[in-house]
Amino acid sequence: MSNRKHNFCAGPCTLPVSVLEEMRDEFIDYHGAGLSLIEMSHRAEEYDAVHQEARRLALEVFRAPEDFDVLFIQGGAILQFAMVAMNLLPPGRRAGYVNTGTWAKGAIADARHYGEIYTAWDGAADGYTRTPEDSEIEVKDGTRYLHITSNETIGGIRFPKFPAVDVPLVADMSSELMARTIPWDRFDLVYGGVQKNLGPAGMAMVFIRKSVATPASESLARYLRYDVHLDKESLFNTPPMFTIAMVGKVLKWMKAKGGLDVIEREAAEKAAILYRRIDESGGFYACPVHPASRSHMNAVFRLPNEGLEARFLADARSADLLNLKGHRSVGGCRASIYNAMPRASVEALADFMQRFRAEHS
Amino acid sequence: MSNRKHNFCAGPCTLPVSVLEEMRDEFIDYHGAGLSLIEMSHRAEEYDAVHQEARRLALEVFRAPEDFDVLFIQGGAILQFAMVAMNLLPPGRRAGYVNTGTWAKGAIADARHYGEIYTAWDGAADGYTRTPEDSEIEVKDGTRYLHITSNETIGGIRFPKFPAVDVPLVADMSSELMARTIPWDRFDLVYGGVQKNLGPAGMAMVFIRKSVATPASESLARYLRYDVHLDKESLFNTPPMFTIAMVGKVLKWMKAKGGLDVIEREAAEKAAILYRRIDESGGFYACPVHPASRSHMNAVFRLPNEGLEARFLADARSADLLNLKGHRSVGGCRASIYNAMPRASVEALADFMQRFRAEHS
């Protein structure tokens, strides 16, 4: 499509055009069935094929080992903040939370109602501009899991390496879910909303080590139990069929591109284009994040003053470069460059940054 | 479209063709924005207009009074089974549940973890083939609310009138949500999955009396608190934007048809066509439900034997009459005729039933 704009939104976010076109073309009459996929029973043969393929591809593309399964659960990553503790944290144990910023704080705020939680590291002293070294993380006795936010969408920081600690990791990977390879042996659970790298809003994906799915308490509603979703292959109740169908198509697109290694390398390259433009701007653009912790998904930067930032955002918009405003809680600018963001769009932004600086510095 | 089949699925279910077409046409480039609605920020102006219109129309079409608001919450009606008790039932109070069948049992199974629950009436003695008279419902002292399942999708029964009791009602209306008018003054909360009368799967709508939204306990994760969703107008986290957009379009379609009174009258007429065909079949078709409790949404019926039922379903399918099989837990046949089911499709089914009986009785 000729009218397509460059969408740097932090989420929901840009999706592959080919996937959008495929969904549009089959939207009303699904492969000659005489009805839309979204009008079908979730027990229908046609939908079941879509559902099972999405599950299979999620495990395959993310290279999850055999002792893991994937769950599709509504409520976004936010509901997982609670479910992780409800299911994984029994009385008498505790869980460490690495506080790297806005989303880590959210995880702590919700988990604390369902078990003993402590802060294993806090980035407050550095203004949440970096992730910790392993040696800085305090893991207390009796810790069931260490929770990390692998990428902070608002702060624009990420863990360049996953912590090597003596307890299992649980990670909120929402903004870099399936954008990088992970050392599965260190993890019990990985979760994230799909509305950044994988599809439209409407569910979280939870990759869970099957042996830990039995909930810490029997006194838990069925929708909130991982074992229920696991046993029913995410068909315990009517699933968000449209979102799952879209995620399946995006996963197929990822696989055709060459899978996770290619995705991860492209992400590093796309991010490098922007950080280079920032670092070589003689201070016109400034990224507050420690270089080693810079996100490959969300590049945050400031301009010399708020007036120039406003001008930058307005001019960018006129150049069809959309949604570059930083989160309202921190201001500044942010370019979110998830899996489906074409390299050409990143280059268009880098060119624009060059021109804008030449005009205004 | 010429290929359109008659889809009697119990949910997800048939939607208005005009709504599907509208979504398809704007799917890739939303009103010239250069991106899809599902790629936009949920804080974007374009999406906000869609979101607020869906909220407004939901309250308007359902004729909810001013002291009610509507919430869009993921997790289906099943998560509401838990949330209702978590939020509305404080320690020291209890809640009565009318057990009318499969879905009422589900509500009880989940709510019992979060407060004192008792069964206020049980339809077991009648095989769950009817709803109770008011005089049969036992409301105990200290009851915070009485929970009813206004229509049982599997059993095919409904409350012809809503109970008049001395405590507030809470109703799971999933399979007849916004298919009938309700006496709002008796209710504190009405909820239901949207995937039957209102749109694709992916969320519940919760109509809540605003004054009861403060949760019974402060120790509750944010996603599970009605007051959080209320304060943020269902934008606390990224909402299921596609589902909301579709529901908004269906609500507009309902309004254009003449609103709830027309919808309710049409539902009664469509159901009457099928029940008449059953009752006048000389026993060839049999509906196990007490006449006064017959659902206007899900007409269940049996044939003389299972062999004939299998033949009926196969022949119906060949005649483009889809998804008439009863729920796997009860067998038999079921025609689900929700708001978007055209009268012409119901008549096509009635004609087919006539022909089939002539051939096989």
Side-chain angles (χ1 to χ4, degrees):
Chain A
M1 58 175 295
S2 53
N3 181 38
R4 184 87 174 154
K5 298 193 178 170
H6 310 288
N7 176 20
F8 293 94
C9 190
C13 66
T14 207
L15 295 169
V17 184
S18 62
V19 165
L20 292 170
E21 286 170 345
E22 206 180 298
M23 177 54 80
R24 177 200 56 196
D25 293 346
E26 69 188 29
F27 190 65
I28 296 190
D29 184 9
Y30 185 75
H31 298 198
L35 62 168
S36 176
L37 186 74
I38 60 171
E39 296 178 297
M40 287 183 188
S41 168
H42 53 297
R43 315 283 176 199
E45 216 174 279
E46 294 97 329
Y47 175 71
D48 199 57
V50 168
H51 189 85
Q52 297 301 347
E53 185 178 34
R55 291 180 63 237
R56 246 189 337 266
L57 281 170
L59 294 166
E60 181 189 335
V61 174
F62 209 6
R63 296 212 293 264
E66 289 229 327
D67 44 343
F68 275 75
D69 208 337
V70 62
L71 313 177
F72 302 146
I73 305 180
Q74 295 179 53
I78 298 235
L79 185 58
Q80 295 312 308
F81 292 169
M83 282 181 66
V84 161
M86 287 174 175
N87 283 272
L88 265 52
L89 191 51
R93 301 292 297 276
R94 48 189 174 183
Y97 278 68
V98 177
N99 183 1
T100 42
T102 307
W103 291 105
K105 284 177 200 176
I108 293 167
D110 286 325
R112 73 192 160 89
H113 298 302
Y114 306 103
E116 191 192 330
I117 300 297
Y118 67 92
T119 303
W121 181 77
D122 196 309
D126 295 305
Y128 301 106
T129 56
R130 67 176 182 93
T131 51
E133 298 294 325
D134 289 2
S135 59
E136 296 176 289
I137 299 170
E138 182 200 20
V139 176
K140 296 186 179 176
D141 283 349
T143 295
R144 168 65 188 86
Y145 62 82
L146 180 75
H147 182 281
I148 61 167
T149 309
S150 81
N151 183 86
E152 285 277 357
T153 324
I154 293 174
I157 65 177
R158 75 161 194 157
F159 279 87
K161 290 179 306 163
F162 289 98
V165 290
D166 290 337
V167 298
L169 293 178
V170 169
D172 172 8
M173 289 193 75
S174 292
S175 45
E176 59 175 12
L177 189 61
M178 300 183 76
R180 66 191 290 192
T181 53
I182 69 170
W184 285 99
D185 56 315
R186 292 189 217 162
F187 287 90
D188 267 0
L189 192 143
V190 169
Y191 66 93
V194 299
Q195 73 275 15
K196 295 167 195 287
N197 284 300
L198 294 160
M203 71 176 191
M205 284 219 274
V206 177
F207 293 84
I208 187 168
R209 186 179 293 280
K210 286 180 266 188
S211 59
V212 307
T214 311
S217 157
E218 280 298 311
S219 208
L220 200 52
R222 293 165 301 163
Y223 198 83
L224 300 171
R225 292 175 65 131
Y226 289 132
D227 61 342
V228 168
H229 294 285
L230 186 67
D231 288 349
K232 301 290 188 187
E233 301 185 333
S234 300
L235 284 164
F236 163 60
N237 65 340
T238 318
M241 298 158 66
F242 171 80
T243 301
I244 291 168
M246 286 290 293
V247 167
K249 288 180 194 299
V250 172
L251 288 167
K252 220 185 290 185
W253 170 88
M254 285 173 67
K255 187 177 167 183
K257 265 179 87 81
L260 205 54
D261 290 326
V262 171
I263 292 280
E264 184 169 20
R265 197 187 62 232
E266 282 190 2
E269 289 168 1
K270 288 185 289 185
I273 293 170
L274 295 183
Y275 290 123
R276 201 175 313 123
R277 187 54 37 98
I278 291 166
D279 291 340
E280 294 175 355
S281 71
F284 185 80
Y285 300 110
C287 173
V289 175
H290 287 228
S293 297
R294 284 175 174 179
S295 169
H296 290 186
M297 298 285 118
N298 315 98
V300 298
F301 53 96
R302 306 293 313 229
L303 273 71
N305 58 64
E306 290 189 2
L308 270 178
E309 284 173 350
R311 182 69 187 272
F312 176 87
L313 294 170
D315 286 5
R317 197 173 168 85
S318 301
D320 288 348
L321 301 159
L322 308 186
N323 295 315
L324 286 161
K325 196 170 180 179
H327 190 266
R328 59 193 187 286
S329 62
V330 294
C333 304
R334 172 176 56 175
S336 294
I337 47 176
Y338 298 118
N339 291 353
M341 173 61 69
R343 189 188 173 103
S345 292
V346 176
E347 285 164 349
L349 172 58
D351 290 348
F352 171 80
M353 288 171 75
Q354 181 88 328
R355 286 200 307 279
F356 188 86
R357 175 165 75 95
E359 283 166 33
H360 294 279
S361 62
Chain B
M1 57 175 294
S2 53
N3 182 36
R4 184 89 174 153
K5 298 193 177 170
H6 310 288
N7 176 20
F8 294 93
C9 190
C13 67
T14 207
L15 295 169
V17 185
S18 61
V19 165
L20 292 170
E21 286 170 344
E22 205 179 298
M23 176 55 78
R24 176 199 58 197
D25 293 345
E26 69 188 27
F27 190 64
I28 296 190
D29 184 8
Y30 185 76
H31 297 199
L35 64 166
S36 175
L37 186 75
I38 61 172
E39 297 179 296
M40 288 184 188
S41 167
H42 53 297
R43 315 282 176 199
E45 215 174 280
E46 294 96 330
Y47 175 71
D48 199 58
V50 168
H51 188 87
Q52 297 301 346
E53 184 178 36
R55 291 179 65 236
R56 244 188 342 263
L57 281 170
L59 294 166
E60 180 188 335
V61 173
F62 209 6
R63 296 212 293 263
E66 290 229 326
D67 44 343
F68 275 75
D69 207 338
V70 64
L71 312 177
F72 302 145
I73 305 180
Q74 295 178 53
I78 298 237
L79 185 57
Q80 294 313 307
F81 292 169
M83 283 182 65
V84 161
M86 287 173 175
N87 283 273
L88 264 52
L89 191 51
R93 301 291 297 276
R94 50 189 173 182
Y97 278 68
V98 177
N99 184 0
T100 42
T102 306
W103 292 105
K105 284 176 201 177
I108 293 167
D110 286 326
R112 72 195 161 89
H113 299 303
Y114 305 103
E116 190 192 331
I117 300 298
Y118 67 92
T119 302
W121 182 78
D122 198 309
D126 295 305
Y128 301 108
T129 55
R130 68 176 181 93
T131 50
E133 299 292 325
D134 289 2
S135 59
E136 297 175 288
I137 299 171
E138 181 201 21
V139 177
K140 296 185 179 177
D141 285 348
T143 294
R144 168 65 187 83
Y145 62 82
L146 180 75
H147 182 282
I148 61 168
T149 309
S150 80
N151 183 86
E152 286 278 356
T153 324
I154 294 174
I157 64 176
R158 75 161 195 160
F159 280 86
K161 289 179 307 161
F162 290 98
V165 289
D166 289 337
V167 298
L169 293 179
V170 169
D172 172 8
M173 288 192 76
S174 290
S175 46
E176 58 174 15
L177 189 62
M178 299 183 75
R180 65 190 290 192
T181 51
I182 69 170
W184 286 99
D185 57 315
R186 292 189 218 163
F187 287 89
D188 266 0
L189 193 144
V190 169
Y191 67 94
V194 299
Q195 73 275 15
K196 295 165 196 285
N197 283 302
L198 293 160
M203 70 175 193
M205 285 220 274
V206 178
F207 292 85
I208 188 168
R209 185 179 294 279
K210 285 180 267 187
S211 58
V212 307
T214 311
S217 156
E218 278 300 309
S219 209
L220 199 52
R222 292 166 301 163
Y223 198 83
L224 300 171
R225 293 174 63 131
Y226 289 131
D227 60 343
V228 168
H229 295 285
L230 186 68
D231 287 350
K232 300 291 188 186
E233 300 184 335
S234 299
L235 284 164
F236 163 61
N237 66 340
T238 319
M241 296 158 67
F242 171 80
T243 301
I244 292 169
M246 286 290 293
V247 167
K249 288 182 195 299
V250 172
L251 288 167
K252 218 185 292 186
W253 170 88
M254 284 174 68
K255 188 177 166 181
K257 268 179 85 81
L260 205 55
D261 290 327
V262 171
I263 292 280
E264 185 170 18
R265 196 187 62 231
E266 281 190 1
E269 288 168 1
K270 288 186 289 186
I273 292 170
L274 296 183
Y275 290 122
R276 202 176 312 123
R277 186 54 36 97
I278 292 165
D279 292 341
E280 295 175 358
S281 71
F284 184 80
Y285 300 110
C287 173
V289 176
H290 286 227
S293 297
R294 285 175 173 180
S295 169
H296 289 185
M297 297 285 117
N298 315 98
V300 297
F301 54 95
R302 306 295 313 229
L303 273 69
N305 59 64
E306 290 189 2
L308 269 178
E309 283 173 352
R311 181 70 188 270
F312 177 87
L313 294 170
D315 287 5
R317 198 173 167 85
S318 303
D320 288 348
L321 301 158
L322 307 186
N323 295 315
L324 286 161
K325 195 172 180 178
H327 190 266
R328 62 194 184 286
S329 62
V330 294
C333 303
R334 171 176 56 173
S336 294
I337 47 176
Y338 299 118
N339 291 353
M341 174 62 69
R343 189 187 173 103
S345 292
V346 177
E347 284 164 350
L349 172 58
D351 290 348
F352 171 80
M353 290 171 74
Q354 181 88 328
R355 286 200 306 279
F356 188 86
R357 175 165 76 94
E359 282 166 34
H360 295 277
S361 64

